Amino acid sequence: MRRPRRSFALLDAPGVAGTLAVAGTLAVAVALGASTRATAATPRASLPVIERRVMCVTCKIPLNVAESVQADRERAFIRGLIAEGDTEAQVERSLVGQYGPAVLALPSAHGFDLTAYLVPLVAMLALSSTLALLLPRWRRQARAQAAERAAAGLAATPTLAAADQARLDADLAQFDR
Amino acid sequence: MRRRATPSLVSLAGACLVGLLVYGVTAQSPSRTLDEAVAQRRYPAAPQARRSLPVLPVLSAGSRGTLATGPPASIGHSDSLAAYRGKVVVLNFWASWCEPCQAEAPLLERTQGRLEPHDGTVLGVTYLDASTDSQGFVREHHVTYPNLRDTTGEFARAYGTDYVPESFVIDRAGDIVAISRGEVDQKFLNKAIALAEST
């Protein structure tokens, strides 16, 4: 009978209950944070995402647009692996293990396939450097041409005869009224 | 000089891209070197004969994923074409999803029955096929000849195989004497096996 009273007394003591409450809240927060991190580290694989990344090996088109017996077999295979809790990377590895690298929609990063990544990169670099070289030149040329035109424009401004100037002024004055 | 340099560089870059495209198309398209050699009766050695390929495990009838009646050594084991040197081999690329493969399976099984007593064999190689589907095919068509799995597609590529079924008849010396790109028939097999046995 003493023990409960003692523990009650302990909890009633000012500061102790508060400390316990804070500690409990912290423990719950840490546990929730850990579970969230664990969930974030291993996202659940999704069939539509994997379907976009792999090919139907017989139709030679991405699985998400393929409609064939083999496409359905591949989908069933993927669903089975997802049900077992495999991640997207694990599912892709298993697919490669079964069907070979041809099942991947993206080219591999070695051999001739590497050109699929390198050619656009080289083309972008070449285009950027060409623009970097040519743009200042074009701007200089445009400025020079504008200056030439301005100079030529000033020199070639037509002068009006006194009678024409008077008639023009009269016409403009009519509009001002 | 500068005015000429820019168009020249652009033309060079364009030519490089076209060259790359041509190389890519020719490199990716299946090779027909073996067919040409066989047509000229210069029987070429079977490529990648020493390449080790995983053996397709054999499952018992009605079982789902459990090994029962197949050779116990087949799971996790690999084999190569070189292991069949000294035998007449009908190397057949197949996949469970391929309808002509289903149509020719009984003929190949009969051929196995004919070759086995004479120290020959049909050797199946699955291509672009999941092992469980291949095992279902073996069970359904009562296939008794050995089967390997080409999991990377490199073995098939060495034979210029892009579509299945394709069959290569190999003599005792390991040279290809006949090729069938498509479903095999009795006439082709009779002629090709006779040729392989005579060389």
Side-chain angles (χ1 to χ4, degrees):
Chain A
M1 287 298 282
R2 276 182 181 176
R3 239 177 225 174
R5 274 182 65 197
R6 219 182 273 167
S7 62
F8 245 106
L10 201 66
L11 283 173
D12 285 345
V16 175
T19 311
L20 282 174
V22 169
T25 313
L26 278 173
V28 169
V30 167
L32 277 174
S35 72
T36 313
R37 273 200 304 277
T39 314
T42 52
R44 194 172 161 75
S46 130
L47 177 66
V49 171
I50 297 168
E51 273 186 313
R52 281 198 295 273
R53 292 191 199 161
V54 298
M55 303 288 281
C56 165
V57 290
T58 56
C59 353
K60 317 258 182 195
I61 54 172
L63 189 59
N64 62 337
V65 290
E67 291 296 335
S68 69
V69 177
Q70 177 57 23
D72 291 341
R73 277 183 181 181
E74 285 183 44
R75 283 190 194 101
F77 183 75
I78 296 167
R79 275 194 203 99
L81 293 173
I82 292 173
E84 282 172 19
D86 281 11
T87 63
E88 281 163 14
Q90 286 171 325
V91 172
E92 280 181 28
R93 274 200 294 276
S94 299
L95 281 165
V96 171
Q98 291 295 325
Y99 298 104
V103 78
L104 295 176
L106 286 174
S108 67
H110 41 77
F112 183 76
D113 288 350
L114 202 58
T115 53
Y117 301 101
L118 288 180
V119 168
L121 195 71
V122 170
M124 282 291 287
L125 282 173
L127 192 69
S128 312
S129 34
T130 309
L131 285 177
L133 279 172
L134 292 181
L135 274 178
R137 195 187 296 173
W138 287 342
R139 285 183 68 183
R140 273 199 306 273
Q141 282 176 354
R143 269 194 217 127
Q145 281 172 359
E148 273 173 28
R149 271 201 300 273
L154 280 176
T157 303
T159 48
L160 286 173
D164 291 337
Q165 185 66 53
R167 201 171 66 241
L168 181 64
D169 287 343
D171 287 347
L172 288 173
Q174 273 183 346
F175 285 115
D176 288 340
R177 268 184 229 149
Chain B
M1 183 69 183
R2 266 188 176 182
R3 281 188 180 178
R4 277 185 199 165
T6 310
S8 306
L9 277 175
V10 170
S11 309
L12 186 69
C16 284
L17 279 175
V18 171
L20 201 63
L21 184 71
V22 170
Y23 173 76
V25 169
T26 47
Q28 300 293 316
S29 47
S31 164
R32 288 290 172 263
T33 318
L34 294 176
D35 303 60
E36 287 161 16
V38 169
Q40 292 164 11
R41 294 176 187 246
R42 290 185 291 108
Y43 303 128
Q48 307 238 345
R50 293 193 181 280
R51 190 184 190 90
S52 190
L53 298 173
V55 172
L56 178 74
V58 183
L59 303 177
S60 67
S63 68
R64 286 175 66 85
T66 49
L67 184 86
T69 59
S74 63
I75 273 195
H77 279 70
S78 52
D79 209 346
S80 68
L81 184 60
Y84 297 88
R85 180 66 65 92
K87 293 183 176 189
V88 168
V89 178
V90 177
L91 181 71
N92 174 249
F93 289 93
W94 63 274
S96 63
W97 42 262
C98 143
E99 285 180 21
C101 303
Q102 294 166 23
E104 70 177 12
L107 173 59
L108 288 169
E109 188 51 39
R110 283 200 301 278
T111 307
Q112 172 69 0
R114 194 180 119 196
L115 281 173
E116 216 172 5
H118 298 95
D119 210 16
T121 187
V122 175
L123 178 64
V125 176
T126 65
Y127 173 58
L128 293 176
D129 204 19
S131 57
T132 47
D133 296 334
S134 307
Q135 286 161 344
F137 180 98
V138 165
R139 212 166 40 231
E140 191 183 332
H141 296 278
H142 310 289
V143 170
T144 61
Y145 49 82
N147 283 283
L148 308 176
R149 298 185 65 227
D150 181 15
T151 50
T152 61
E154 286 173 25
F155 187 72
R157 204 169 300 128
Y159 286 81
T161 296
D162 204 24
Y163 298 97
V164 284
E166 290 192 355
S167 300
F168 299 79
V169 180
I170 300 164
D171 66 12
R172 291 190 174 92
D175 296 332
I176 299 171
V177 297
I179 299 173
S180 164
R181 298 208 184 264
E183 191 181 327
V184 285
D185 56 23
Q186 189 71 67
K187 196 179 159 191
F188 166 81
L189 284 174
N190 286 345
K191 198 175 161 189
I193 291 169
L195 181 62
E197 283 173 339
S198 67
T199 54

